[in-house]
Amino acid sequence: MNVGILGTGNLAVTLGRAWAAAGHSPVVTGRNPLHASEAAARMGDAARAADPGDFAGTAEVVVVAVSWEGLEAAVSLVGGPQGSLAGKTVIDCTNAVDYATGRLKPASGSAAELVARSAPGASVVKALHLFAGASWPYAGPAETAPVVAICGDTQRALDLAAALIGDLGARAAAVGGLAGARQLEEAAGFVMRVVAAGHNPRLAVPDVDPALPGVAGTTAG
Ligand SMILES: NC(=O)c1ccc[n+]([C@@H]2O[C@H](COP(=O)([O-])OP(=O)(O)OC[C@H]3O[C@@H](n4cnc5c(N)ncnc54)[C@H](OP(=O)(O)O)[C@@H]3O)[C@@H](O)[C@H]2O)c1
């Protein structure tokens, strides 16, 4: 599949490289054409850089991997407000979090909802913001594969995102509609606060067996 990657930085490269290794053809673009060609070269032979104006037409699915500060500009760069992404699945990986404090930067709503507003007609899925890019691809035992929580309003888009997450060696957990994206983005802030306090966030959430009866009620408090 032609996986369009909007962004040319660390996450873009690690995801593109992992998907290329899984048989996909990454197409990468960004505001700086030199950064886009360098990113494509680092992803491997199956990847190529695209002009922002050609990007949406080439990509079968779009993965947004840019800084929060550049998010709206990046979606505009590829014609999102003009409808270039209408009908496409758009996976938003943005971490709109102040790394020092763990505070979420959007005053209200979420980065993913900003992407949806900036790209009318696109089916936006929030995913892949919580784990470091260096986590991918995961190649360990299946029973300890990372679980990537995702949310979105369109089943087809959730299925596509889940398939791409599977190609990274992880498992997707769909946890609701895009209105829940802020909660997923807050989870990144929570992780950063636990790390800043000197602890492993893996140990800061309960180990809960979802098969146990009534377990959802007990964890919800
Ligand atoms: N790195 C990770 O492990 C990781 C994991 C999960 C989520 N994330 C999230 O993924 C996103 C990208 O992270 P990263 O680590 O790849 O960052 P990065 O290496 O700093 O790359 C940032 C990207 O955003 C672009 N950008 C910045 N400002 C822009 C603007 N005003 N207009 C257009 N593009 C702009 C940069 O373009 P230029 O090259 O032109 O500056 C670059 O392509 C962030 O939201 C981050 O929180 C990262």
Side-chain angles (χ1 to χ4, degrees):
M1 184 188 304
N2 286 339
V3 180
I5 301 182
L6 177 54
T8 56
N10 292 315
L11 183 65
V13 169
T14 50
L15 287 176
R17 191 185 286 141
W19 280 321
H24 295 293
S25 301
V27 180
V28 58
T29 201
R31 63 179 172 176
N32 183 323
L34 178 61
H35 290 182
S37 1
E38 287 171 352
R42 291 172 62 202
M43 290 176 193
D45 290 344
R48 65 186 172 85
D51 183 84
D54 301 331
F55 173 77
T58 314
E60 294 171 76
V61 53
V62 170
V63 178
V64 182
V66 297
S67 314
W68 158 248
E69 287 70 20
L71 184 58
E72 214 170 344
V75 177
S76 292
L77 184 71
V78 298
Q82 288 73 44
S84 67
L85 301 173
K88 291 188 191 292
T89 295
V90 176
I91 300 171
D92 171 48
C93 308
T94 312
N95 256 325
V97 173
D98 179 334
Y99 290 94
T101 63
R103 186 182 57 82
L104 206 63
K105 291 183 178 175
S108 63
S110 62
E113 289 166 301
L114 175 63
V115 171
R117 284 196 300 277
S118 306
S123 298
V124 178
V125 175
K126 185 76 197 185
L128 290 169
H129 63 298
L130 195 51
F131 288 86
S135 313
W136 315 123
Y138 170 78
E143 59 273 20
T144 55
V147 174
V148 176
I150 67 175
C151 68
D153 293 333
T154 310
Q155 191 58 49
R156 182 185 53 80
L158 289 167
D159 291 345
L160 185 47
L164 286 170
I165 288 165
D167 290 337
L168 298 174
R171 299 168 281 176
V175 297
L178 201 65
R182 186 174 175 97
Q183 187 180 53
L184 292 192
E185 294 176 10
E186 288 278 18
F190 169 74
V191 165
M192 287 166 201
R193 283 180 196 241
V194 172
V195 172
H199 296 279
N200 183 338
R202 188 183 291 278
L203 304 174
V205 292
D207 183 7
V208 181
D209 181 353
L212 288 177
V215 84
T218 55
T219 52

